[in-house]
Amino acid sequence: MALDDKKGVWKSGKGKGRKTPKGRQVTEDVLNEMQSLLAGREMRADLLIEHLHVIQDTYGHLSAPHLAALAEMMKLSQTEVYEVASFYAHFDIVKEGEAAPPALTIRVCDSLSCELAGSEQLLRNLATKYNGKGAVRVLRAPCMGRCDTAPTLEIGHNHIDHADLGRVAAAIDAGDTHAHIPDYEMFENYRDDGGYRELEALRGGSKTPNTLQDEVLESGLRGMGGAGFPSGKKWSFVRMNKGPRYLAVNGDEGEPGTFKDRYFLEREPHVFLEGMLIAAWAVEAEKCFIYMRDEYPAVLELLRVEIAKLESAGIVDAGYIDLRRGAGAYICGEESAMIESIEGKRGMPRHRPPFVASVGIFNQPTLVHNVETLYWICKIARHGGDIFGAHGVNGRKGMRSYSVSGRVRHPGVKIAPAGVTIRELIDDYCGGMADGQEFKAYQPGGPSSGLLPASMDDIPLDFDTLQEYDTFIGSAAVVVLSDQDSARAAALNMLRFFEDESCGQCTPCRVGCEKAVKLMQADHWDQGLLEELSTAMVDASICGLGQAAPNPIRMVMKHFADEI
């Protein structure tokens, strides 16, 4: 190559100059189309995922020309836009020469609770009926947070609970493909009942942040997302760092079996919102980000409506609450991966330290809470710490929201004193086992916690009580298995989930989950090799996904060896 001094362009050795840059070209008509579609929207890099959603919603896919035009508009490389779009399961990329997907997508949940309820057969029947016919496609999908109404699926953005072929056909024939907004406590009713008075009093000086922080600490409230870190201590860690500070709500409860956050949001969203604004006041946050999973379209819509009401009422300034929509990535439930996604990137967990309390969103101190934690913060601020801390059984303190599904008579969210046992949870809160089912095993805190046998039914279900049994409560996603179920098959379901949802950043998790699934499909498990693999994953994985993924393997080998 030689430089042409006159024109200032690179030319080939034969003297023929390149008329266009290398790579995919941006056409004027597609660029104009994208500019019209995204008119009035800021072209900040952190809004990349939001813009991708607009394109996906409008066209049903992301074409290569559209991605190229978006990269041009946002002054990002096409590679970066493609890498982000291809990371998330809910974006459909269509390259040149490829056919666009059908206009309507059915996503069938394949989580453990749905599998127990027959989702595999439902998936096969739907695929036989619709796939290849052009108008509808059927895909398997991870947990949708509706485990109490398994099997469940999503047609467009409409969830069908207790799904079967008839309900699916009826929804398609009726064009019923949009989210159904549940009845919930709206702003007007919440305000009339005293809502936001506590927030206004705090802003007026009724208490200091330190006073409220002490109340939260005294109540015993810990992070309900699964880590169990004392909530009040987080505030002090964030406040010790100079601002600007942010608050991020982790609404990506993707742990299979978990649906408690959706329960609160679809009933009392303003209790959560006021709790969020109280926590933001306590740490002097300049902005609140709510990261909500895309699998909750009804929640996303009702939050948009209610946040607008808060702005109209002058409770918050316009834009103070920034609602961000996930795009189908379980890993974004890890707080640093969530922050990467909020910044418009792939949801890859960060190496720590530094921790997000000092280096979070846009490298600023960030307070991260999940939905249930903020729900209780509001209750504590309004009514005092005893509304939470005065409860508890079996030597434990506080309240827990157990998401219970599987082989029980009445599944659902069970708000109970912390420390109830699985036997008490089944008998006293779920109406006992389902008809004809005998209790065999349970998952105490999502697939990351593995499986315990029914013989271990007297352990208090709370933070710090399960570690001696090599498991943990996590997000309190309890799935109950019966004598008609296979612990081995349940563990394979869990590892397939981890294999699909590994972000791929670190080899121990990416390769380890894949190899584990292959080994677990053998007629007889190679227990020595599986244990070596588990040790490598636990010791070397970057984040909790890879570190906890071996738990189902180890628990089955320990408690259900007769099955393998």
Side-chain angles (χ1 to χ4, degrees):
M1 302 288 283
L3 181 63
D4 186 325
D5 294 325
K6 293 181 180 180
K7 297 183 179 180
V9 296
W10 286 100
K11 300 178 70 176
S12 68
K14 296 181 180 179
K16 295 180 180 179
R18 185 183 297 279
K19 294 182 180 180
T20 60
K22 288 184 177 181
R24 185 174 286 112
Q25 304 305 305
V26 180
T27 60
E28 186 174 351
D29 57 335
V30 176
L31 183 60
N32 291 337
E33 186 180 348
M34 288 294 95
Q35 288 173 338
S36 176
L37 178 65
L38 300 173
R41 297 175 180 269
E42 296 182 73
M43 290 294 113
R44 303 195 320 261
D46 64 290
L47 295 174
L48 172 58
I49 295 170
E50 296 296 309
H51 298 337
L52 289 170
H53 273 304
V54 175
I55 301 171
Q56 174 78 33
D57 291 344
T58 302
Y59 300 102
H61 63 276
L62 305 173
S63 73
H66 287 157
L67 292 179
L70 181 62
E72 177 79 11
M73 293 168 61
M74 299 189 72
K75 295 181 171 54
L76 299 172
S77 70
Q78 292 186 30
T79 299
E80 182 175 353
V81 173
Y82 175 81
E83 284 182 342
V84 171
S86 60
F87 182 85
Y88 297 94
H90 291 184
F91 294 138
D92 295 302
I93 298 174
V94 177
K95 299 178 182 178
E96 290 93 341
E98 293 182 346
L104 186 60
T105 297
I106 299 175
R107 288 186 165 88
V108 183
C109 178
D110 66 355
S111 71
L112 179 57
S113 298
C114 283
E115 185 175 281
L116 295 176
S119 65
E120 280 298 319
Q121 186 61 51
L122 177 62
L123 176 65
R124 286 193 291 270
N125 293 342
L126 288 169
T128 300
K129 182 174 182 179
Y130 293 108
N131 277 350
K133 309 294 175 29
V136 179
R137 64 172 175 167
V138 179
L139 305 174
R140 74 169 57 243
C143 186
M144 299 176 184
R146 310 182 79 85
C147 315
D148 53 333
T149 55
T152 192
L153 55 79
E154 188 179 27
I155 304 178
H157 287 304
N158 176 25
H159 284 100
I160 307 294
D161 295 328
H162 303 296
D164 57 30
L165 290 174
R167 287 189 174 94
V168 171
I172 293 175
D173 292 343
D176 189 8
T177 61
H178 300 286
H180 291 199
I181 310 301
D183 291 330
Y184 65 91
E185 186 179 33
M186 297 185 180
F187 170 75
E188 297 80 5
N189 295 332
Y190 183 73
R191 191 71 181 270
D192 290 344
D193 196 34
Y196 294 104
R197 290 180 189 170
E198 186 62 32
L199 173 66
E200 291 168 350
L202 291 169
R203 288 174 173 176
S206 64
K207 297 177 184 176
T208 67
N210 283 334
T211 300
L212 182 59
Q213 177 179 306
D214 290 342
E215 289 182 8
V216 172
L217 284 170
E218 179 62 27
S219 74
L221 179 65
R222 297 168 66 171
M224 297 298 190
F229 192 82
S231 299
K233 283 188 178 180
K234 277 191 176 183
W235 296 5
S236 61
F237 291 157
V238 174
R239 288 167 58 199
M240 70 173 57
N241 295 288
K242 293 182 179 179
R245 306 186 189 102
Y246 298 112
L247 182 146
V249 177
N250 191 339
D252 198 71
E253 60 169 359
E255 188 80 8
T258 311
F259 47 95
K260 59 188 177 59
D261 289 354
R262 181 179 63 82
Y263 175 89
F264 290 117
L265 289 166
E266 289 185 346
R267 289 163 176 77
E268 300 176 280
H270 284 282
V271 179
F272 149 70
L273 287 169
E274 185 171 11
M276 176 190 73
L277 294 174
I278 287 171
W281 163 83
V283 299
E284 298 179 311
E286 296 195 5
K287 193 179 187 72
C288 295
F289 293 87
I290 301 177
Y291 188 88
M292 189 57 56
R293 64 188 313 222
D294 199 32
E295 290 84 352
Y296 289 173
V299 169
L300 281 159
E301 182 56 34
L302 72 86
L303 284 177
R304 290 187 192 102
V305 171
E306 299 306 311
I307 289 169
K309 292 178 182 178
L310 293 181
E311 294 175 347
S312 297
I315 292 175
V316 295
D317 294 333
Y320 180 77
I321 302 174
D322 193 339
L323 179 61
R324 296 297 181 91
R325 177 180 169 189
Y330 163 73
I331 193 62
C332 290
E334 196 276 338
E335 62 180 7
S336 66
M338 175 194 67
I339 287 173
E340 289 287 295
S341 191
I342 288 172
E343 294 180 356
K345 305 171 187 174
R346 295 175 294 168
M348 297 282 199
R350 297 176 179 177
H351 292 270
R352 293 176 290 182
F355 296 94
V356 300
S358 55
V359 182
I361 297 174
F362 307 133
N363 294 323
Q364 298 300 321
T366 302
L367 174 65
V368 178
H369 279 314
N370 87 311
V371 171
E372 187 190 357
T373 304
L374 293 167
Y375 174 91
W376 286 114
I377 283 173
C378 179
K379 294 283 189 178
I380 291 167
R382 291 181 67 177
H383 304 292
D386 282 350
I387 195 171
F388 180 85
H391 304 276
V393 294
N394 297 319
R396 308 308 298 170
K397 182 177 183 179
M399 297 288 290
R400 293 299 305 243
S401 304
Y402 299 92
S403 304
V404 187
S405 61
R407 307 297 193 181
V408 295
R409 190 182 303 276
H410 302 302
V413 172
K414 311 299 177 180
I415 302 175
V420 298
T421 66
I422 185 63
R423 181 62 69 180
E424 292 167 337
L425 199 57
I426 293 172
D427 293 343
D428 299 341
Y429 292 87
C430 299
M433 294 292 292
D435 292 340
Q437 309 283 334
E438 184 178 337
F439 182 34
K440 172 182 178 176
Y442 66 104
Q443 181 180 278
S448 300
S449 66
L451 285 172
L452 290 174
S455 58
M456 299 173 67
D457 62 355
D458 58 349
I459 306 169
L461 297 179
D462 194 21
F463 298 119
D464 307 325
T465 61
L466 293 162
Q467 278 80 347
E468 63 179 293
Y469 306 103
D470 301 318
T471 185
F472 48 84
I473 188 65
S475 58
V478 179
V479 181
V480 178
L481 276 65
S482 77
D483 57 332
Q484 300 179 24
D485 302 316
S486 164
R488 170 197 176 112
L492 181 57
N493 176 285
M494 300 176 204
L495 263 294
R496 281 176 171 152
F497 169 78
F498 291 129
E499 179 188 20
D500 289 339
E501 294 297 332
S502 173
C503 75
Q505 180 179 187
C506 65
T507 303
C509 176
R510 181 185 67 248
V511 177
C513 289
E514 177 194 358
K515 300 303 180 186
V517 167
K518 290 180 179 178
L519 290 169
M520 294 167 73
Q521 290 173 324
D523 291 337
H524 300 283
W525 286 11
D526 186 335
Q527 297 189 48
L529 187 55
L530 278 167
E531 179 56 36
E532 286 185 35
L533 181 63
S534 298
T535 300
M537 293 174 67
V538 171
D539 290 347
S541 294
I542 290 172
C543 79
L545 192 157
Q547 294 164 8
N551 284 343
I553 303 170
R554 286 173 159 172
M555 303 289 271
V556 168
M557 291 193 298
K558 182 176 181 179
H559 299 295
F560 305 95
D562 58 313
E563 295 192 20
I564 58 173

